[in-house]
Amino acid sequence: MATPNSQSARPNLLRYIAMVILALIILVGIAVLITWLVLRPKRLVYSVEDAAIHNFNLTDADHLNSNFYFTIRAYNPNRRVSVYYDSVEVSVRYEDQTLATNAVQPFFQGHKNVTRLHASLSAQTVALFGNVPKDLKLERTSGDIELDVWIKARIRFKVGKWKSKHRTMKIFCSNVLVKFSRSKSFPRTPCHVDL
Ligand SMILES: *[C@@H]1O[C@H](CO)[C@@H](O)[C@H](O)[C@H]1NC(C)=O
Ligand SMILES: *[C@@H]1O[C@H](CO)[C@@H](O)[C@H](O)[C@H]1NC(C)=O
């Protein structure tokens, strides 16, 4: 029953479907662009604001006992994105050896918020390897030490009522200069955030 008319209707229909699909792709693209422009996600900003070492004791058998304290400033510069920190783990490292690790209380960070984390880490008879004991003794004599602070956090983003999936954020604060004796001035050390 094919007439010349229905013969030419086929390609028209295909063209129509193709145009609808193309239009949908463009609309989705515009929606993504607008969402991105509105939210304009910015990197979270971290720095170490204060640090202290207490009860530092390096035994003759190259074991370390010591308490480390760090005040870490977490800044969320976003205007519409807030952050759930479901777990936060702070480690202190020296020359690639981890000296102590501890968790920080989970928290929720609203937009444009500054939160200070107080990490208290305790090294208890930690066996030291390689050059670490020798170098630690030298640093002790010099009066200050360069430590690395590593933070691993499981986070979720929140925009309005929408919540993202879990993501792991890694924060590296290298060469944090800590004095063995209490000092008033501490050079704020910026951290590198890896997400
Ligand atoms: C350091 O630790 C050793 C071994 O545990 C102990 O004998 C010594 O008294 C400690 N020194 C200080 C200053 O606490
Ligand atoms: C950031 O959020 C914490 C916890 O909700 C709150 O205690 C603190 O006052 C806030 N700080 C700023 C600067 O908004």
Side-chain angles (χ1 to χ4, degrees), residues 10-160:
R10 255 256 161 83
N12 272 345
L13 184 66
L14 282 180
R15 190 188 292 175
Y16 176 72
I17 290 171
M19 276 170 70
V20 167
I21 288 173
L22 190 65
L24 278 176
I25 289 171
I26 290 170
L27 278 178
V28 168
I30 290 172
V32 167
L33 185 67
I34 288 174
T35 310
W36 186 83
L37 284 176
V38 168
L39 297 178
R40 201 79 70 103
K42 291 195 196 108
R43 270 176 184 279
L44 303 168
V45 184
Y46 271 79
S47 58
V48 179
E49 276 194 338
D50 200 8
I53 301 175
H54 291 156
N55 308 321
F56 185 92
N57 185 358
L58 191 56
T59 69
D60 293 337
D62 291 343
H63 284 79
L64 177 72
N65 292 293
S66 181
N67 295 321
F68 302 93
Y69 302 94
F70 298 99
T71 304
I72 298 152
R73 180 182 184 271
Y75 172 50
N76 174 12
N78 291 291
R79 274 193 298 146
R80 290 182 181 83
V81 183
S82 32
V83 189
Y84 288 99
Y85 287 83
D86 292 317
S87 77
V88 184
E89 197 184 83
V90 182
S91 300
V92 56
R93 292 170 66 108
Y94 178 74
E95 288 181 358
D96 292 338
Q97 179 164 2
T98 301
L99 302 179
T101 301
N102 199 7
V104 173
Q105 197 72 20
F107 64 102
F108 173 77
Q109 186 171 41
H111 28 81
K112 293 270 172 200
N113 178 271
V114 174
T115 297
R116 283 183 176 79
L117 311 177
H118 301 281
S120 166
L121 316 175
S122 168
Q124 286 166 346
T125 50
V126 174
L128 303 173
F129 303 104
N131 288 327
V132 171
K134 194 184 72 189
D135 293 347
L136 270 183
K137 270 173 208 147
L138 287 176
E139 303 258 23
R140 178 75 185 95
T141 318
S142 79
D144 53 36
I145 182 171
E146 275 192 358
L147 297 167
D148 295 331
V149 177
W150 290 33
I151 304 162
K152 206 169 98 181
R154 291 279 286 163
I155 62 168
R156 282 172 297 153
F157 293 110
K158 182 171 179 273
V159 183

Side-chain angles (χ1 to χ4, degrees), residues 171-189:
I171 301 152
F172 307 101
C173 317
S174 310
N175 306 330
V176 181
L177 190 68
V178 191
K179 287 196 166 62
F180 282 94
S181 58
R182 197 81 192 98
S183 70
K184 283 191 195 76
S185 64
F186 178 84
R188 186 198 272 197
T189 314

